[in-house]
Amino acid sequence: MSSTCQLCGAKLGLLKRFSGAKICPACEELERKRLEKATLECAQLLEKLWKGEILAEDATKGLTTIRGQGYLTGEVQEIMIAVAFREFCDELLKDDILTADEEQRLLTVAKVMDIDQEKLQTQFRDVLNHLVVARVNDGRLPVLEGAKILIKKG
């Protein structure tokens, strides 16, 4: 049990020490505000990315910077990215058509968000199914390598 705040060195009250707290109430508030700011920055960055307002490279740098600040754990940022990706896909597919340009934008956003084919097939299976249907609705069927069609006589 520490008797002083690990961030500012202020003396911790009796209840704070016995509860296992490592920082004082003032530092707790400061840390809470920093977390809120980092969360907001991350959400705004992801929104700008999927709206096409910033380049993929800038979004990648921004996410790296936010993560480097240490206020958003990898897990929290992953949840935010997953929510943002779903929102992006919902907006993109609201007309149930996925054009080639929209697909290219989707691939760019997915790359920045570190969403690969494996994640699409597991974590975003419903989105993947919607993407396939929307692509077909645009008149673009998926290409199957080495597919064989069996023709029935008659």
Side-chain angles (χ1 to χ4, degrees):
M1 276 188 301
S2 177
S3 62
T4 59
C5 174
Q6 290 182 344
L7 298 178
C8 70
K11 188 173 180 176
L12 295 176
L14 184 64
L15 290 176
K16 282 285 184 187
R17 283 186 294 194
F18 283 114
S19 68
K22 297 178 181 177
I23 60 176
C24 68
C27 288
E28 281 179 0
E29 181 63 18
L30 183 62
E31 291 295 298
R32 186 188 62 75
K33 286 181 180 179
R34 287 180 180 161
L35 175 61
E36 284 177 4
K37 182 179 181 245
T39 302
L40 180 62
E41 286 176 0
C42 186
Q44 289 172 339
L45 186 68
L46 293 172
E47 184 177 349
K48 285 180 182 179
L49 171 66
W50 65 261
K51 285 184 175 180
E53 296 173 2
I54 60 173
L55 298 174
E57 297 82 27
D58 295 334
T60 302
K61 288 176 189 173
L63 289 172
T64 302
T65 301
I66 291 169
R67 184 173 279 155
Q69 292 170 349
Y71 295 108
L72 290 183
T73 63
E75 184 179 328
V76 170
Q77 200 169 11
E78 289 299 316
I79 291 169
M80 291 181 72
I81 286 172
V83 168
F85 183 70
R86 285 186 181 281
E87 288 174 0
F88 170 69
C89 289
D90 287 346
E91 182 67 26
L92 197 67
L93 301 172
K94 67 182 173 186
D95 61 355
D96 289 327
I97 296 174
L98 181 66
T99 65
D101 289 340
E102 289 173 334
E103 185 173 8
Q104 191 57 47
R105 206 166 114 220
L106 173 76
L107 292 173
T108 301
V109 168
K111 182 178 179 183
V112 169
M113 294 181 167
D114 198 27
I115 297 172
D116 56 10
Q117 188 67 30
E118 182 182 330
K119 279 187 183 177
L120 269 175
Q121 291 176 339
T122 55
Q123 188 177 355
F124 301 102
R125 183 75 180 169
D126 58 321
V127 173
L128 180 62
N129 291 339
H130 197 172
L131 289 170
V132 171
V133 170
R135 192 172 183 214
V136 170
N137 288 345
D138 189 48
R140 299 178 304 122
L141 294 172
V143 176
L144 299 175
E145 299 291 326
K148 296 180 182 177
I149 298 176
L150 299 176
I151 301 174
K152 192 174 182 181
K153 289 185 180 181

